[in-house]
């Protein structure tokens, strides 16, 4: 019986549909990180994890694309990380601690943010274990600033910081459509951009990943990657984004790969009174939980 | 002069643009059913009929696709059905009664919901008259549960119940993208699913309907068939849906067919402060009123 | 040092990102017109200019499509026009006055509405200077009514009035999808409609504009041209509209042409609590400011 | 059978609870005026009349204070005045016309605004009939400006204009708590202010009205007289206002007087998502309809 | 160790601050009933219990009025009752069952609604145990209809039904300010109304209760008893209500009495975006939990 | 000509009505501090300063209570402090710096928050200058925690920290109605609470301040001191608060005293869609600006 009862988790409150607080066997663990302290424009990502869990009961546990029901999987929902408000550094440290606990228990992490800076903590733990880790970033923004509004750990610096932690320096930046001139120069120079060209974005990603079958991959999904029309509830929506069918095609591609960790960040539920943003985030969470389970079955 | 003044109708309140409370001649009748009693997740479909009528004055009466103006048609707006709150059975019975009154007067019904369970009442009346009735369901959800939260007449059981009432057992489930594993098995076994494959969804529907030219067809449009981005105002939005151009293409196809009745359900206007959901529903209503008129002119 | 300090401008309040109140050199001027007096359905376009400016700080100043940073351009933000509420005629007169001041200073105008009727004032000033002016209208509605709700200067009559002011009578109506039967007859008779056919709408516009390279072009962007899913915050949203990628393709086309003035109208920010409508409008403003700068460099 | 079917009324849409579109006998008539064209700060008073009628069905028809049921009275609901948007002058003219029609039919008017400027039209008609008319203004603002934002008929000038139309020049300004220094000077000079001093505001009004028993009184209720806590849904809320019990006490006082006309203005329902503002306005309408009926029974 | 694990409770989700899911010793039990099936005007009371629990963490556990901290008490939070949507009868039956389980375990019930009809179930169980039960109703509405919209168990009939279940027929209706003429006649005839007269409403209640010291009292708090200004989030707000200081004074009075059960109903959190309605309800819940504890200590 | 152009101020954006960016002579300076980093429950106080300034144009510049027009005073609006997001310490330091600059220029500070922790910075600067400084706190919460959620500079610790900075240790806590048992013990022990007893709260404050005429007084107004009914837009609303007339009476009292600095904190405008919270805050700001001017004229 697995019951991770560390004091760093607050285990009251909702759980994601089809998962449990205490598991007999456990392949995947969900951790919520209700932090949005460096968000300068519109705060509220702190409400993301709870909102995703609450609305998850409004969607089916069965995924018709992947033909698997969440109820068949072994998933523990660890609740919310107990964090202090204010500066990002202690939060990033706690995320690292939480992910390390999971990894020690052979549990694959799925982190629900919270703002994007929390990815740094997750990568810190994961990159320690997997030296050849590859990062896939689905995002509207490059997040390659050296520092932002006086902080090196702002959500606008996430990928810059992650790259410093990854020995492989290998990141695919999928669907980026906003950045400074400098950020674009860095992306182009390093050939990191996965974009729609003559092919769909999923095909382009597929081609880029071909030589990395079996390598450990971490997926960070900044929800503003989606078009604001399908996900208005995010702090810095950027027109010209992607739709569910694009995400769905990417999920299809990733089925072949060894996904070792996932985070889903930047949902601001209070900006979307219709609730469709949280529902899309919950449906994406359902797909990614199944992806993690498929990868665990295949590669471990 | 046609003036259906049955006590089952509450004839105060708004009317749909271009229609009348009392008609000299009458081909089509609009009935609102403000019921959402079995809705478990987010109620409010009760406000659908009035919202559609109110915003209808914000769109043109002329349809550039079908090149007909609503003002040229003979449409009576019968107001709202007087219903009791609580259990669905008495409401379904009243819907049946209302549709029967219309059919006796040679008036084609267009029902504005309210939740999906009200379709059962409409099909009850229509299937009595047309033994070879075919049902077309535009919906995100399969709605094939035997029962749901203790009720056999929940909105999650609508198509299951309708099939029991239709001698033909013929239903086309267009665009379903959510269901349990069991529901999907039933759909696939009976080859009911109309989906996007290599063709567009409208072409696939066209092919499926080819052998049914002239047969009586009932169309039930659960508005969550549309993508949440174009229709956020519905109780259980499901990402990955359809756009106006898909609906428009289906309308093009249905012009050739004998549409004998229509319902438009599951609009929750209060979930969409922009009002665009109600406006889309009103524009769809405009198209379907014209479809009913075209069919009446052609097949009667 | 350019400092247009006419009493017709209220120069308190926000400015568009990357622009200035006082410039050393000046190519483009931004004028806000907070007027929505003839709006019959849902008012609020008066809040458009301020909302666009406020959210503009949430997007980057660098445009990855056109590869130019707003900060490199010489743009003056003249604030809001001081207008009286009520009848449209005095407002239209003031817009004309403001645009004339800009033209006299060799500054290209970008007007932020407010409702569509303000375009009449802008065209009045521009068509006086450019006798062969061509008008490109991106809009959902034909706006060709002779009068509406008792006013000849309603926002539903804008293009009708503009045509009377333009010696060339040349207008391209791009993406119109709503109108009366009479309005459609006028559009078809004069072959003004640019639509999606076998080509994309941008390609069709490109073909139509081929013989007009170098001619002065005024672009009026009624934001309801966009699909309500990407821009819900507008007074009369019309389903079946265009997406950011369509706009982006049109911007690509217009780079070759001599754009001499632009307006962006009908944003109602309070109808969209997510704020994505204002953000899209700000991003479109960024593109069009760069277009004006490119045209000025090329043709002047 | 009374059926006022003038083209100036739009008689579709909701009616106030307990009233009728067509009456056998008629003492009181309700006219809605959906105009807010001079509102500079936050528009939306145009939605007031319909909102009051819609929510009226959520309150009882029986008034426990006055012990009368609305259903016992003879009240016609004439719908909404057909107005043009833009300048106030034509709207004020139409209100005058509508009130004159009512007076000719011996029907007492209750006008539902819309912004405060519409009172001018009502007073124009009433003061023609009653030369010794007394005006009672319940309002937060003095409304005594000579002109505002370029218009003499702005809602900020209402009482100034009304005084010019009334031979008696007699107005009681009840509860005013905002104005310019000049407005306050005029109020104090003319001893018009009814305020809370050692007595309650109702007692003070009672004392002031003592010598006017039987005289024709017109009551204009600008809903921002109420404290924003009980009526947040108004364009220019002003802290420090009055509660329902104060209104109730004033109703008690006015029972003795000859109320010949009433208007209720400046409700902006869209600013109050709870709907309590519209409900309070509907309850106040219920009281004032009964007051008009009591006065008609007593003085006519 | 007390752990009431009946299948009628859904024990996932939030708990009220300072309480527990499993208790060593237990004096008071909280049961949520998310039902609003007979609500005709504006649904949403189903979201009441969860909202109260969620916001309870935003207030202190210490009550400065009663000088007790919730953390010192023995309170079990039993979660939400598993109910079916639709008709009220099965829900009322389940509430009765739940309250009976508590009473058998010597636990005092505090029920969080949901709509007012659920009180009937609670009274059914309580009145079986306490034959001389007295009911105190804090409410804006009389709730004495024999039936409403076709149902005898509508929330508008609650007190009528409760009286049939109580041998004592003793009810104090505190602060009622809305009803039909018939309802008022019944109230006056039976001298049930506690109102503000020369005394405050709390003093009047105190006087009325003087001869009932020690008798078992059930308190039903329909939150629309409060003025809409302090509690806008309720389905049928009624102007002219009571403030926190009035409630606080009543709590002071009730300290002397033997409160054996409590319910708090008709919170519609989604109607109040500020959240203050849920917070007031949570603070009232805190007071009433302490009242139940005081009574248990004193009378048992 | 006074023009404080320090880089710590961001001087774009709105200014408070009746004030200026650059002054010839200057008695009072307004500084906005858009910080809410330690807010654990509901963020958004960062939007407070801008919201107050924006709505200030909707109220009159003339104060009828104090009979002074803001336009007659010499007030500079310094814009917003440039702050970093995240930890509170650097923000508090910047506030201290800003207030010190003002004091050096003989300008009295009025700070617009932002969350309550910013008061610490203000007091730091003021208490350095005025050793006998007295603090008046209008607040719902005691704010006397030693630390909160891991921070000693949380908004829940403000007064604790301020007391450490003030040699006099003299604070009057006016209207506190929420705290832990420990906080209440400290308050009672030190006789700091000003409450409603037999007198009004203003009379009680008057009595307490009698022996401090002429002493330097700093007023910190946490807007949750007001009842949630009049100010719903705050992070932690607490029922049972004060109304505008109570504030108005306190202003009356403070006219006699030597107010040397003021802050107004904890407005969360996005929680109140009606805008009345921001309007009340702006009206309170108007009163307090005048108070500062009166004190400067009298005591300097």
């Amino acid at each position: 019986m697995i019951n991770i009862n560390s004091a760093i988790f607050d285990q009251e409150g909702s759980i994601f549909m089809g998962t449990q607080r205490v598991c007999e066997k456990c392949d995947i663990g969900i951790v919520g990180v209700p932090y949005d302290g460096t968000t300068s424009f519109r705060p509220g990502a702190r409400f993301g994890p709870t909102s995703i869990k609450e609305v998850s009961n409004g969607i089916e546990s069965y995924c018709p694309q992947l033909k698997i029901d969440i109820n068949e999987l072994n998933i523990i929902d660890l609740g919310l990380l107990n964090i202090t408000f204010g500066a990002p550094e202690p939060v990033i440290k706690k995320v690292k601690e939480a992910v390390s606990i999971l990894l020690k228990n052979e549990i694959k992490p799925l982190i629900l943010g919270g703002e994007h800076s929390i990815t740094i903590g997750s990568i810190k733990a994961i990159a320690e274990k997997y030296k050849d880790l590859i990062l896939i970033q689905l995002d509207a923004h490059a997040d390659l600033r050296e520092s932002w509004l006086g902080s090196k750990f702002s959500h606008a610096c996430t990928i810059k910081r992650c790259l410093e932690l990854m020995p492989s320096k290998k990141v695919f930046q999928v669907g980026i459509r906003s950045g400074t001139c400098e950020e674009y120069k860095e992306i182009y120079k390093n050939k990191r951009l996965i974009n729609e060209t003559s092919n769909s974005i999923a095909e382009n990603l597929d081609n880029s990943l071909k030589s990395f079958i079996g390598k450990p991959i971490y997926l960070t999904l900044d929800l503003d990657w989606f078009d604001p029309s399908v996900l208005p509830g995010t702090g810095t929506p950027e027109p010209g984004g992607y739709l569910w069918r694009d995400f769905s095609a990417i999920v299809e591609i990733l089925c072949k790969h060894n996904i070792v960790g996932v985070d889903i960040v930047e949902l601001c539920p209070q900006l979307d009174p219709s609730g469709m943003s949280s529902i899309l985030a919950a449906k994406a969470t359902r797909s990614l939980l199944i992806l993690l389970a498929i990868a665990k079955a295949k590669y471990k």
Side-chain angles (χ1 to χ4, degrees), chain A:
Chain A
M1 183 64 67
I2 291 170
N3 182 355
I4 295 179
N5 218 328
S6 162
I8 67 170
F9 299 113
D10 168 6
Q11 302 203 339
E12 280 178 12
S14 309
I15 65 170
F16 194 81
M17 60 100 180
T19 71
Q20 285 167 290
R21 235 352 60 108
V22 179
C23 286
E24 214 151 322
K25 216 190 109 191
C26 189
D27 292 321
I28 303 161
I30 301 177
V31 177
V33 187
Y35 176 74
D36 58 9
T38 77
T39 306
S40 53
F41 191 37
R42 305 191 300 180
R46 67 178 69 183
F47 302 120
T50 297
S51 181
I52 289 174
K53 292 175 187 188
E54 278 173 3
V55 306
S56 69
N57 294 297
I59 61 169
E60 298 285 352
S61 53
Y62 177 72
C63 171
Q65 183 191 6
L66 299 172
K67 298 197 167 39
I68 291 178
D69 194 302
I70 282 286
N71 285 305
E72 301 162 15
L73 308 180
N74 303 306
I75 308 174
I76 192 166
D77 184 331
L78 291 161
L80 302 179
L81 211 55
N82 277 315
I83 60 161
T84 55
F85 284 91
E89 290 85 351
V91 177
I92 290 170
K93 212 181 135 200
K94 268 218 177 139
V95 174
K96 200 234 150 177
E97 199 179 330
V99 173
S100 296
I101 293 175
L102 290 179
L103 294 180
K104 247 170 266 169
N105 286 277
E106 307 264 307
I107 298 171
K108 291 197 171 190
L110 183 143
I111 314 297
L112 297 175
E115 53 160 83
H116 210 165
S117 64
I118 65 170
T119 301
I120 307 172
S122 190
I123 289 294
K124 223 170 195 161
I126 302 255
E128 264 179 31
K129 175 162 180 181
Y130 301 101
K131 302 297 174 196
D132 52 350
L133 185 72
I134 294 161
L135 179 59
I136 299 180
Q137 172 200 13
L138 270 61
D139 201 333
H141 308 90
D143 288 357
L144 289 168
R145 277 179 159 92
E146 182 51 39
S147 90
W148 180 239
L149 294 176
S151 169
K152 290 188 66 168
F153 296 93
S154 159
H155 61 152
C157 312
T158 293
I159 301 306
K160 196 77 177 172
R161 287 298 88 71
C162 287
L163 280 167
E164 296 167 358
L165 297 165
M166 291 168 55
S168 75
K169 309 288 178 218
K170 193 80 210 161
V171 60
F172 293 105
Q173 297 193 284
V174 183
I176 309 305
R177 57 195 186 274
S178 172
T180 62
C181 190
E182 290 65 38
E183 288 179 307
Y184 270 97
K185 274 183 199 155
E186 177 175 345
I187 293 175
Y188 284 126
K189 203 183 104 191
N190 295 287
K191 290 184 189 150
R192 291 189 198 134
L193 191 62
I194 309 294
N195 230 352
E196 282 182 302
T197 53
S198 53
N199 299 324
S200 81
I201 198 161
E203 277 178 287
N204 289 343
L205 180 63
D206 195 17
N207 291 334
S208 300
L209 288 179
K210 263 183 189 149
S211 48
F212 299 98
I213 299 274
K215 293 275 181 195
I217 291 176
Y218 185 90
L219 176 70
T220 179
L221 170 57
D222 184 326
L223 288 161
D224 62 25
W225 177 80
F226 284 103
D227 193 70
S229 64
V230 299
L231 198 128
T234 191
T236 46
E238 180 73 27
Y242 295 91
L243 304 181
W244 180 259
R245 67 163 177 253
D246 302 305
F247 179 73
S248 194
I250 288 176
V251 163
E252 205 73 46
I253 300 305
L254 295 180
C255 273
K256 299 178 281 191
H257 289 280
N258 182 17
I259 312 298
V260 298
V262 164
D263 64 51
I264 299 168
V265 296
E266 297 288 359
L267 176 69
C268 276
Q270 85 286 5
L271 292 172
D272 175 9
S274 79
M276 70 171 169
S277 302
S278 301
I279 290 169
L280 185 143
K283 194 171 171 180
T285 302
R286 187 181 76 188
S287 299
L288 296 176
L289 287 169
I290 297 176
L291 267 198
L292 284 169
I294 291 174
K296 183 139 194 200
K298 207 169 189 166
Y299 290 101
K300 181 76 193 302

